[in-house]
């Protein structure tokens, strides 16, 4: 009687061979008491409703987007296309646990049209996913809602930050090998002459909490402790898939610290002329322009001392000298920070300090629209040689160059390594 009800198909991720082995091990009565054959063979219909990004303030085209559902155990993968109301309908689904996802590209023109935002970009990706969703009942009356997010495709991204320093050959702290690496995601050559690099204020206690920033500056600014600029006196063109290495000291550091880096090929370094300074200026490498520093005794990139700092890259025709300075919230003396309008930022990476107590999220300085997450070294202190770098996405440029992962969330986008080299990224 039971065998006549068995159908020759995969059901809920289990084959009938597996069920028969259960039958052998437990007996007919036991099997029939734990399996409802009507339920496992019943196919269901599911509607999935797209929820467009909140940035789409000027309307959106809901029709024609592909939604994919994938059985969690690696089984069936099904797709459906949304209708004019943004609903994708699936029929004949075997009840099981699925991952639900969608993703599509929009051009820079479509981005401006849909958001009303004229920010310069290379288009954007709209994507959404729900992990481990049980689809076991018909839900065409109340569709499953799939929220989507907007991720801008930036031409130039911060690809790597080597700020932890390491131990030298005498087991002393060594920080002269710190550097920042930029990566050209786009399919065209980019001239980075005039590009600004900003280092975010990094007191152990933030000079302003996020709430205080919102109160004082309407959430429109980032506070910078230093600003450097790639010189304007000559072109500096970067090919698609090319990099720009900005070093504190463009020498071969492996002679001083075996775990360090050879930065002789760096594109720029700082000009630190102080007596007995640790940052040897390489005369064969062009100097960055120091535009602002909160301390006259710090003419180099202050990437770790006092705590790790976030990094931003930006362009503006405004004079940085004309930007306001501010003390810590409620103070009238002490260090001063440049008040930078965040609208000029091309890319931003939040870096937070790791400690024995974990990451203190209260020290976050960058708003979620700049970086919804953060990255950090794994060690609770520096001098470990750890480098924070972007993962490589599955996409490729027109000439086959890598596209690094950029979901506007450094927690998801970055990895940490002690072995990754200068200008290297994962395959």
């Amino acid at each position: 009687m039971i065998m006549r009800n068995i159908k020759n198909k995969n059901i809920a991720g289990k084959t009938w061979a597996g069920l028969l082995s259960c039958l052998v091990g437990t007996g007919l009565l036991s099997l029939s008491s734990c399996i409802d054959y009507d339920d496992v063979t019943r196919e269901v219909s599911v509607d999935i409703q797209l929820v467009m990004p909140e940035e789409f303030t000027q309307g959106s085209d809901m029709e024609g987007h592909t939604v994919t559902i994938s059985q969690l155990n690696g089984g069936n993968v099904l797709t459906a296309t949304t209708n004019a109301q943004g609903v994708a309908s699936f029929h004949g689904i075997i009840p099981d646990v699925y991952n639900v996802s969608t993703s599509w590209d929009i051009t820079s023109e479509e981005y401006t049209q849909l958001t009303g935002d004229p920010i310069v970009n290379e288009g954007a990706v709209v994507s959404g996913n729900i992990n481990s969703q049980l689809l076991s009942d018909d839900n065409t009356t109340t569709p499953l809602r799939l929220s989507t997010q907007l991720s801008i495709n930036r031409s130039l991204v911060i690809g790597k930050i080597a700020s932890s320093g390491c131990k030298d050959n005498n087991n002393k702290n060594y920080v002269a090998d710190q550097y920042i690496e930029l990566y050209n995601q786009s399919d065209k050559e980019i001239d980075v002459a005039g590009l600004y690099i900003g280092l975010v204020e990094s007191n152990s206690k933030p000079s302003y909490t996020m709430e205080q920033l919102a109160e004082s500056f309407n959430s429109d600014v980032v506070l910078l402790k230093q600003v450097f600029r790639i010189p304007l006196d000559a072109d500096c063109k970067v090919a698609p898939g090319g990099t720009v290495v900005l070093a504190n000291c463009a020498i071969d550091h492996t002679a001083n610290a075996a775990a360090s880096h050879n930065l002789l090929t760096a594109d720029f370094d700082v000009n630190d002329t102080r007596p007995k300074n640790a940052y040897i200026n390489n005369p064969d490498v062009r100097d960055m322009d120091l535009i602002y520093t909160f301390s006259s005794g710090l003419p180099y990139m202050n990437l770790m001392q006092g705590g790790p700092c976030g990094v931003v890259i930006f362009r503006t025709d405004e004079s940085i000298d004309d930007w306001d300075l501010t003390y810590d919230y409620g103070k009238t003396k002490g260090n001063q920070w440049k008040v930078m309008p965040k609208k000029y930022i091309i890319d931003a990476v939040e870096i937070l300090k790791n400690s024995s107590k974990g990451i203190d999220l209260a020290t976050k300085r960058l708003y979620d629209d700049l970086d919804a997450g953060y990255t950090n070294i794994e060690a609770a202190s520096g001098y470990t040689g750890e480098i924070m770098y972007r993962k490589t996405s599955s996409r490729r440029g027109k000439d086959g160059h890598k596209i690094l992962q950029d979901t506007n969330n450094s927690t998801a986008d970055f990895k940490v390594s002690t072995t990754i080299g200068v200008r290297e990224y994962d395959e």
Side-chain angles (χ1 to χ4, degrees):
M1 184 70 173
I2 291 176
M3 296 302 293
R4 284 199 298 272
N5 289 330
I6 294 177
K7 296 181 180 180
N8 184 25
K9 64 190 294 186
N10 280 358
I11 297 179
K14 298 180 180 179
T15 64
W16 283 114
L19 291 178
L20 287 174
S21 68
C22 177
L23 179 67
V24 172
T26 62
L28 284 174
L29 183 59
S30 174
L31 178 62
S32 62
S33 66
C34 64
I35 300 292
D36 184 334
Y37 293 104
D38 289 336
D39 283 348
V40 296
T41 60
R42 179 177 59 87
E43 295 176 339
V44 298
S45 296
V46 173
D47 283 353
I48 297 175
Q49 171 72 65
L50 291 186
V51 180
M52 290 299 180
E54 60 181 13
E55 294 91 345
F56 281 9
T57 58
Q58 309 300 310
S60 58
D61 185 2
M62 306 287 283
E63 189 171 7
H65 305 302
T66 300
V67 177
T68 301
I69 62 172
S70 308
Q71 272 181 298
L72 200 62
N73 66 359
N76 290 334
V77 177
L78 304 173
T79 62
T81 303
T82 57
N83 61 20
Q85 287 72 48
V87 175
S89 298
F90 294 85
H91 303 287
I93 298 175
I94 299 170
D96 203 347
V97 179
Y98 291 80
N99 289 332
V100 183
S101 63
T102 188
S103 179
W104 68 92
D105 295 326
I106 61 175
T107 66
S108 58
E109 292 79 11
E110 289 171 328
Y111 174 89
T112 299
Q113 179 182 358
L114 294 169
T115 66
D117 185 352
I119 185 173
V120 177
N121 61 70
E122 296 295 315
V125 177
V126 182
S127 63
N129 64 81
I130 304 173
N131 294 323
S132 303
Q133 176 69 43
L134 177 62
L135 301 179
S136 60
D137 298 302
D138 290 322
N139 74 337
T140 54
T141 303
T142 307
L144 175 67
R145 290 169 65 84
L146 176 57
S147 297
T148 59
Q149 298 81 40
L150 188 65
S151 176
I152 297 173
N153 292 333
R154 299 175 176 89
S155 296
L156 199 66
V157 297
I158 301 166
K160 193 177 298 174
I161 302 170
S163 60
S164 71
C166 63
K167 294 293 185 178
D168 68 11
N169 296 333
N170 297 314
N171 201 36
K172 293 183 178 180
N173 295 341
Y174 188 80
V175 295
D177 59 349
Q178 296 169 326
Y179 70 95
I180 296 170
E181 187 169 302
L182 311 180
Y183 186 87
N184 181 4
Q185 301 268 61
S186 74
D187 294 317
K188 61 184 180 182
E189 190 176 63
I190 296 176
D191 187 356
V192 297
L195 182 78
Y196 290 95
I197 299 89
L199 304 187
V200 181
E201 172 273 314
S202 61
N203 286 345
S204 57
K205 178 183 178 182
S207 62
Y208 281 70
T209 65
M210 302 300 285
E211 292 76 16
Q212 289 165 346
L213 273 179
E215 170 196 330
S216 303
F217 300 104
N218 298 318
S219 303
D220 290 331
V221 306
V222 172
L223 303 184
L224 302 180
K225 64 180 180 180
Q226 290 182 300
V227 180
F228 294 84
R229 184 179 62 195
I230 294 177
L232 285 161
D233 57 3
D235 290 346
C236 182
K237 295 182 179 179
V238 185
T243 57
V244 183
V245 175
L246 312 170
N248 266 332
C249 181
I251 66 170
D252 183 357
H253 295 277
T254 61
N256 302 320
S260 191
H261 329 289
N262 183 349
L263 294 177
L264 281 171
T265 62
D267 300 283
F268 299 92
D269 68 0
V270 300
N271 186 11
D272 187 355
T273 58
R274 297 172 303 157
K276 298 182 180 180
N277 71 79
Y279 302 98
I280 301 170
N281 182 256
N282 186 335
D284 296 326
V285 175
R286 295 175 65 193
D287 296 333
M288 287 187 285
D289 298 326
L290 176 60
I291 305 300
Y292 177 75
T293 181
F294 71 105
S295 170
S296 59
L298 294 173
Y300 54 86
M301 292 188 294
N302 180 234
L303 290 168
M304 185 178 70
Q305 294 91 326
C309 65
V311 179
V312 301
I313 55 175
F314 62 98
R315 288 188 187 274
T316 179
D317 292 329
E318 295 181 7
S319 170
I320 308 300
D321 290 339
D322 293 337
W323 287 355
D324 289 340
L325 291 168
T326 185
Y327 296 104
D328 292 352
Y329 181 77
K331 300 291 182 64
T332 57
K333 62 180 180 180
N335 292 326
Q336 290 186 291
W337 321 109
K338 273 291 178 183
V339 181
M340 177 203 170
K342 71 178 186 180
K343 63 183 179 180
Y344 298 122
I345 292 177
I346 297 170
D347 192 23
V349 175
E350 179 77 270
I351 304 175
L352 299 183
K353 180 177 176 56
N354 199 359
S355 72
S356 58
K357 296 181 180 179
I359 303 296
D360 184 1
L361 295 181
T363 62
K364 197 173 187 330
R365 272 87 165 174
L366 297 179
Y367 296 103
D368 285 353
D369 59 347
L370 296 175
D371 188 347
Y374 59 89
T375 186
N376 58 274
I377 62 173
E378 298 296 333
S381 60
Y383 315 110
T384 54
E386 292 175 283
I387 296 174
M388 296 161 283
Y389 72 101
R390 282 191 190 273
K391 302 173 185 177
T392 300
S393 76
S394 59
R395 295 185 296 147
R396 290 293 183 269
K398 289 181 180 179
D399 63 357
H401 68 269
K402 297 174 183 177
I403 302 295
L404 305 184
Q405 186 163 307
D406 184 15
T407 65
N408 199 42
N409 185 328
S410 291
T411 306
D413 294 343
F414 275 75
K415 296 173 69 174
V416 175
S417 171
T418 57
T419 59
I420 196 86
V422 177
R423 307 185 199 275
E424 289 182 351
Y425 292 90
D426 288 342
E427 294 300 328

